[in-house]
């Protein structure tokens, strides 16, 4: 008796420019007989196939008898705003979402030629539309206008990644008041205003992904980082509230908590430490990792991007209000 189901396919093999390939035999249960496979899920798409069993060995045939390159991307037709995305973690996330077919609104600093090269390069590499917003994330009205720019450019906003962040280190006694206000505005308040502006658009389609880039410092503390730690703890709290308020909808909200990622922000801390302690940059880098991150290896922007893309997948539909630590064991101590 025929049965409709799905199979996963292996990565395709191209011979002489012609796409060819094989189904993974392990994906075909040997006990199934006369199974009609309606679709294949994974990185490639395949026409209708049939599978049967002959003793312990599964057999299958496909028509047409080749595997076609991927035709549909997970985020095709969706749009994403990624703040602080002209370098570092934000650019890694923008690349990962664009690779899945999402149109991208970049935000961040850079001169005109740099921004033009970045937007054109991202668009050409992934075949998506890319625009840039120069919004100052510390100003609420500009954050709201940035979300509006996305809707105007693409007709919608489906994914919001609040990534922009700044840092200043000093003891509480010596911490400048203006730096405190600036860090909370960029690292925390901007998330609130962006979420508030994007939420109606997501709710109207009953689908959305809000991803807040918090930090290991959203879960634990370090001396001399009062504003940053306070802001990132606030981001984790905001994430939980938004997740509860959207729990009965297709909108999810989660936070990624990276440890040390070698970004311009962290590189400045390395340089400052090298100067302060009179050591080389390489030694300062290793000491920074050894202090907090047991793996003694930096997290990469690409790894954070991969996790953000996963949170946009159907597999993450019921991941809500949680923190995903990517910190080389930092918060396991």
């Amino acid at each position: 008796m025929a049965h409709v189901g799905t199979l996963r396919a292996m990565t395709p093999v191209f011979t002489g420019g012609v796409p060819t390939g094989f189904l993974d035999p392990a994906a075909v249960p040997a006990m199934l007989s006369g199974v009609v496979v309606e679709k294949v899920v994974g990185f490639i798409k395949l026409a209708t196939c049939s599978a049967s069993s002959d003793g312990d060995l599964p057999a299958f045939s496909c028509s047409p008898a080749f595997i076609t390159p991927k035709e549909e991307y997970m985020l095709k037709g969706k749009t994403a705003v990624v703040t602080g995305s002209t370098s570092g973690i934000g650019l890694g996330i923008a690349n990962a979402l664009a690779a899945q077919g999402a149109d991208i609104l970049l935000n961040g600093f850079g001169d005109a030629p740099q921004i033009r090269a970045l937007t054109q390069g991202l668009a050409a590499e992934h075949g998506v539309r890319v625009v840039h917003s120069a919004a100052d994330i510390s100003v609420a009205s500009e954050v709201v206008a940035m979300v509006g720019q996305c809707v105007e450019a693409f007709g919608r906003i489906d994914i919001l990644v609040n990534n922009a962040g700044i840092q200043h280190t000093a003891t509480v006694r010596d911490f400048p008041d203006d730096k405190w206000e600036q860090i909370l505005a960029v690292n925390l308040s901007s998330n609130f205003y962006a979420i508030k502006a994007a939420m109606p658009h997501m709710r109207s389609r009953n689908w959305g992904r809000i991803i807040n880039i918090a930090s290991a410092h959203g879960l634990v503390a370090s001396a001399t980082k009062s504003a940053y730690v306070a802001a990132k703890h606030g981001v984790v709290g905001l994430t939980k509230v938004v997740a509860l308020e959207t729990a009965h909808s297709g909108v999810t909200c989660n936070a990624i908590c990276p440890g040390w990622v070698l970004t311009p922000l962290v590189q400045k801390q390395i340089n400052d430490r090298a100067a302060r302690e009179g050591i080389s940059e390489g030694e300062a880098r290793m000491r920074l990792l050894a202090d907090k991150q047991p793996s003694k290896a930096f997290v990469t922007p690409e790894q954070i991007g991969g996790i953000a893309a996963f949170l946009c997948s159907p597999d993450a539909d019921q991941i809500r209000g949680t923190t995903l630590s990517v910190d080389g064991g930092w918060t396991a101590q």
Side-chain angles (χ1 to χ4, degrees), residues 6 12 27 31 43-44 78 80 123 135 154 180-181 188 195 208 215 222 224 239 263 286 298 307 310 313 330:
T6 62
M31 297 303 294
F43 292 100
I44 50 180
K78 291 184 168 29
F154 303 135
W180 171 272
E181 298 293 343
L188 176 58
I195 291 169
S215 168
S222 293
T224 74
T239 298
T263 64
M286 290 311 300
F298 284 103
I307 293 167
F310 166 72
S313 73
W330 181 334

Side-chain angles (χ1 to χ4, degrees), residues 20 45 71 90 101 103 163 201 218 292 302 317 331:
T20 61
K45 189 178 181 182
E71 296 175 0
D103 296 322
N163 167 74
H201 301 282
K292 301 288 186 181
E302 292 76 19
D317 281 351
T331 53

Side-chain angles (χ1 to χ4, degrees), residues 111-133:
D111 56 33
Q114 177 192 2
I115 296 300
R116 184 165 53 251
L118 192 59
T119 55
Q120 292 177 352
L122 197 62
E125 181 179 357
H126 300 296
V128 298
R129 297 175 293 174
V130 182
V131 298
H132 175 261
S133 167

Side-chain angles (χ1 to χ4, degrees), residues 209-227:
R209 293 293 188 266
I210 299 167
I211 303 170
N212 298 321
I213 306 304
S215 168
H217 280 124
L219 304 172
V220 297
S222 293
T224 74
K225 297 184 178 181
S226 55

Side-chain angles (χ1 to χ4, degrees), residues 83 143 146-147 160 162 189-199:
T83 67
V143 174
M146 175 187 66
V147 172
L160 171 64
N162 289 307
S189 295
S190 66
N191 294 20
F192 168 78
Y193 291 116
I195 291 169
K196 186 177 181 180
M199 186 67 72

Side-chain angles (χ1 to χ4, degrees), residues 177-255:
D177 292 350
D178 62 331
K179 289 294 185 183
W180 171 272
E181 298 293 343
Q182 184 184 24
I183 289 172
L184 262 67
V186 172
N187 294 12
L188 176 58
S189 295
S190 66
N191 294 20
F192 168 78
Y193 291 116
I195 291 169
K196 186 177 181 180
M199 186 67 72
H201 301 282
M202 295 179 178
R203 282 191 175 276
S204 70
R205 291 184 171 83
N206 196 36
W207 195 95
R209 293 293 188 266
I210 299 167
I211 303 170
N212 298 321
I213 306 304
S215 168
H217 280 124
L219 304 172
V220 297
S222 293
T224 74
K225 297 184 178 181
S226 55
Y228 190 85
V229 169
K232 293 301 186 179
H233 272 69
V235 169
V236 170
L238 177 63
T239 298
K240 294 178 180 181
V241 171
V242 173
L244 291 175
E245 292 181 357
T246 57
H248 295 290
S249 76
V251 179
T252 69
C253 183
N254 293 287

